[in-house]
Amino acid sequence: YLARSDILDQQVNGQWTQPGQPLYDQYLTQRLQQAVGVLDSKSAAVVSMTTPYYDSGDVATGSQLPEDDPARVTVDNSIIRDAVQSAQSGSSGANVSVFDLGGDLSPQGHFAQEVNGVDMRCSDGIHITALGGEQLASSLLPHLAEVGRSHEQTSPQGAWPGPPPPTLPASSSELP
Protein backbone atom coordinates (compact mmCIF):
# COMPACT_ATOMS: atom_id res chain seq x y z
CA TYR A 1 0.00 0.00 0.00
CA LEU A 2 1.33 3.41 -1.00
CA ALA A 3 -0.89 6.39 -1.74
CA ARG A 4 0.22 9.99 -2.20
CA SER A 5 -3.42 10.97 -1.90
CA ASP A 6 -3.12 10.37 1.85
CA ILE A 7 -1.19 13.63 2.22
CA LEU A 8 -3.63 15.74 0.21
CA ASP A 9 -6.40 17.79 1.81
CA GLN A 10 -9.45 15.54 2.25
CA GLN A 11 -13.10 16.16 2.87
CA VAL A 12 -14.19 14.10 5.87
CA ASN A 13 -17.80 14.27 7.07
CA GLY A 14 -18.31 17.39 4.95
CA GLN A 15 -15.32 19.19 6.47
CA TRP A 16 -12.01 19.90 4.74
CA THR A 17 -9.09 18.62 6.76
CA GLN A 18 -5.47 17.55 6.34
CA PRO A 19 -2.82 15.32 7.91
CA GLY A 20 -1.98 16.49 11.41
CA GLN A 21 -5.56 17.47 12.26
CA PRO A 22 -7.36 15.04 14.59
CA LEU A 23 -10.37 14.49 12.30
CA TYR A 24 -8.14 13.58 9.38
CA ASP A 25 -5.72 11.47 11.40
CA GLN A 26 -8.58 9.42 12.86
CA TYR A 27 -10.11 9.02 9.39
CA LEU A 28 -6.85 7.76 7.86
CA THR A 29 -6.18 5.44 10.79
CA GLN A 30 -9.64 3.89 10.39
CA ARG A 31 -9.15 3.49 6.62
CA LEU A 32 -5.84 1.71 7.07
CA GLN A 33 -7.20 -0.55 9.81
CA GLN A 34 -10.20 -1.40 7.63
CA ALA A 35 -8.00 -2.22 4.64
CA VAL A 36 -5.74 -4.45 6.70
CA GLY A 37 -8.81 -6.14 8.21
CA VAL A 38 -10.28 -6.92 4.79
CA LEU A 39 -7.02 -8.29 3.43
CA ASP A 40 -6.27 -10.22 6.61
CA SER A 41 -9.74 -11.79 6.47
CA LYS A 42 -8.53 -13.56 3.32
CA SER A 43 -5.20 -14.47 4.97
CA ALA A 44 -3.27 -12.05 2.78
CA ALA A 45 0.13 -10.76 3.74
CA VAL A 46 0.01 -6.96 3.78
CA VAL A 47 2.93 -4.60 3.17
CA SER A 48 2.45 -0.90 3.82
CA MET A 49 5.05 1.48 2.48
CA THR A 50 6.10 4.69 4.14
CA THR A 51 5.54 7.88 2.21
CA PRO A 52 8.49 9.68 0.64
CA TYR A 53 8.87 13.43 0.58
CA TYR A 54 7.70 15.18 -2.57
CA ASP A 55 8.65 18.33 -4.44
CA SER A 56 5.86 18.94 -6.92
CA GLY A 57 5.61 22.68 -6.33
CA ASP A 58 4.47 25.18 -8.88
CA VAL A 59 7.50 25.61 -11.12
CA ALA A 60 6.25 28.92 -12.51
CA THR A 61 5.97 30.58 -9.10
CA GLY A 62 8.39 28.45 -7.10
CA SER A 63 5.75 27.96 -4.41
CA GLN A 64 5.37 24.80 -2.37
CA LEU A 65 2.11 22.88 -2.64
CA PRO A 66 0.45 21.89 0.66
CA GLU A 67 0.98 18.18 -0.07
CA ASP A 68 4.73 18.80 -0.32
CA ASP A 69 4.86 19.92 3.33
CA PRO A 70 7.28 17.56 5.13
CA ALA A 71 5.09 17.68 8.24
CA ARG A 72 2.30 15.93 6.34
CA VAL A 73 4.65 13.10 5.37
CA THR A 74 5.82 12.76 8.97
CA VAL A 75 2.22 12.47 10.20
CA ASP A 76 1.29 10.02 7.42
CA ASN A 77 4.26 7.78 8.19
CA SER A 78 3.46 7.81 11.88
CA ILE A 79 -0.13 6.76 11.17
CA ILE A 80 1.06 4.01 8.80
CA ARG A 81 3.53 2.62 11.35
CA ASP A 82 0.96 2.81 14.18
CA ALA A 83 -1.68 1.01 12.08
CA VAL A 84 0.77 -1.76 11.21
CA GLN A 85 1.91 -2.10 14.83
CA SER A 86 -1.72 -2.27 15.96
CA ALA A 87 -2.47 -5.00 13.41
CA GLN A 88 0.63 -6.96 14.40
CA SER A 89 -0.32 -6.90 18.07
CA GLY A 90 -4.03 -7.50 17.44
CA SER A 91 -5.91 -10.70 18.12
CA SER A 92 -5.88 -11.83 14.47
CA GLY A 93 -2.09 -11.99 14.32
CA ALA A 94 -2.20 -10.31 10.94
CA ASN A 95 0.83 -10.76 8.67
CA VAL A 96 1.44 -7.04 8.22
CA SER A 97 4.73 -5.22 7.75
CA VAL A 98 6.16 -1.86 6.80
CA PHE A 99 8.63 -1.23 4.01
CA ASP A 100 10.47 2.07 4.40
CA LEU A 101 10.06 3.32 0.84
CA GLY A 102 10.13 6.86 2.16
CA GLY A 103 13.53 6.22 3.71
CA ASP A 104 14.87 4.79 0.46
CA LEU A 105 13.63 7.76 -1.58
CA SER A 106 14.30 10.40 1.07
CA PRO A 107 17.29 9.11 3.05
CA GLN A 108 18.13 12.46 4.65
CA GLY A 109 14.55 13.08 5.81
CA HIS A 110 13.67 15.42 2.95
CA PHE A 111 13.01 15.29 -0.80
CA ALA A 112 15.95 13.90 -2.74
CA GLN A 113 16.19 13.95 -6.52
CA GLU A 114 19.27 11.75 -6.44
CA VAL A 115 20.15 8.91 -4.06
CA ASN A 116 23.51 7.12 -4.16
CA GLY A 117 24.27 8.67 -7.55
CA VAL A 118 20.97 7.51 -9.08
CA ASP A 119 18.39 9.99 -10.41
CA MET A 120 15.38 8.66 -8.47
CA ARG A 121 12.58 11.06 -9.35
CA CYS A 122 10.93 12.27 -12.50
CA SER A 123 10.85 16.00 -13.14
CA ASP A 124 7.38 16.26 -11.53
CA GLY A 125 8.90 15.58 -8.09
CA ILE A 126 6.42 12.76 -7.51
CA HIS A 127 6.98 9.74 -9.72
CA ILE A 128 9.96 7.40 -9.71
CA THR A 129 12.30 7.08 -12.70
CA ALA A 130 12.99 3.70 -14.31
CA LEU A 131 16.49 3.69 -12.80
CA GLY A 132 15.00 4.74 -9.48
CA GLY A 133 12.61 1.79 -9.69
CA GLU A 134 15.52 -0.56 -10.29
CA GLN A 135 17.31 0.92 -7.28
CA LEU A 136 14.22 0.48 -5.11
CA ALA A 137 13.75 -3.08 -6.33
CA SER A 138 17.08 -4.05 -4.78
CA SER A 139 15.64 -3.41 -1.32
CA LEU A 140 11.90 -3.92 -1.88
CA LEU A 141 12.02 -7.31 -3.60
CA PRO A 142 14.00 -9.05 -0.82
CA HIS A 143 11.50 -7.66 1.69
CA LEU A 144 8.57 -8.96 -0.34
CA ALA A 145 10.29 -12.34 -0.81
CA GLU A 146 10.71 -12.63 2.97
CA VAL A 147 7.05 -11.71 3.48
CA GLY A 148 6.12 -14.40 0.97
CA ARG A 149 8.30 -17.03 2.67
CA SER A 150 6.83 -16.15 6.05
CA HIS A 151 3.31 -16.30 4.67
CA GLU A 152 4.01 -19.66 3.06
CA GLN A 153 5.16 -21.05 6.42
CA THR A 154 2.08 -19.82 8.26
CA SER A 155 -0.35 -20.68 5.45
CA PRO A 156 1.26 -23.48 3.39
CA GLN A 157 -1.94 -24.26 1.50
CA GLY A 158 -2.42 -20.59 0.70
CA ALA A 159 -5.74 -18.87 0.35
CA TRP A 160 -5.70 -17.98 -3.35
CA PRO A 161 -8.94 -19.26 -4.94
CA GLY A 162 -7.43 -21.06 -7.92
CA PRO A 163 -4.27 -21.07 -9.99
CA PRO A 164 -2.10 -17.97 -10.29
CA PRO A 165 -2.74 -15.65 -13.24
CA PRO A 166 -1.58 -17.21 -16.53
CA THR A 167 0.71 -14.38 -17.56
CA LEU A 168 3.69 -12.94 -15.77
CA PRO A 169 5.56 -9.73 -16.54
CA ALA A 170 8.48 -10.28 -18.93
CA SER A 171 10.89 -9.08 -16.22
CA SER A 172 9.82 -11.85 -13.82
CA SER A 173 12.42 -14.23 -15.24
CA GLU A 174 15.13 -11.81 -14.08
CA LEU A 175 14.04 -11.88 -10.44
CA PRO A 176 16.07 -13.90 -7.91
Side-chain angles (χ1 to χ4, degrees):
Y1 171 81
L2 172 68
R4 181 172 192 257
S5 60
D6 288 347
I7 60 174
L8 302 175
D9 289 355
Q10 302 281 328
Q11 192 171 22
V12 179
N13 299 329
Q15 180 179 341
W16 283 99
T17 185
Q18 65 190 34
Q21 294 180 342
L23 177 64
Y24 180 85
D25 296 353
Q26 181 181 21
Y27 166 75
L28 181 58
T29 297
Q30 290 172 344
R31 280 187 48 215
L32 290 172
Q33 290 172 339
Q34 180 183 26
V36 169
V38 167
L39 294 168
D40 184 49
S41 74
K42 297 293 185 183
S43 300
V46 180
V47 177
S48 287
M49 295 186 225
T50 60
T51 301
Y53 295 93
Y54 297 99
D55 186 9
S56 61
D58 186 341
V59 176
T61 65
S63 63
Q64 182 185 49
L65 297 176
E67 55 269 25
D68 292 342
D69 181 355
R72 290 185 181 211
V73 172
T74 300
V75 168
D76 188 46
N77 287 336
S78 177
I79 291 171
I80 289 168
R81 286 187 170 100
D82 288 350
V84 168
Q85 185 176 15
S86 176
Q88 289 171 335
S89 62
S91 60
S92 72
N95 184 6
V96 184
S97 64
V98 174
F99 176 76
D100 192 15
L101 178 81
D104 281 2
L105 283 172
S106 310
Q108 302 299 318
H110 57 80
F111 176 82
Q113 181 67 39
E114 187 178 288
V115 176
N116 297 327
V118 175
D119 188 20
M120 299 295 284
R121 299 294 190 91
C122 296
S123 61
D124 64 5
I126 300 170
H127 296 95
I128 301 165
T129 65
L131 286 175
E134 291 176 16
Q135 176 86 4
L136 289 172
S138 68
S139 57
L140 176 58
L141 293 178
H143 178 84
L144 294 177
E146 180 56 37
V147 167
R149 282 191 290 277
S150 174
H151 188 260
E152 183 179 41
Q153 290 174 359
T154 59
S155 183
Q157 300 305 312
W160 189 265
T167 59
L168 295 172
S171 61
S172 66
S173 64
E174 300 170 14
L175 299 175

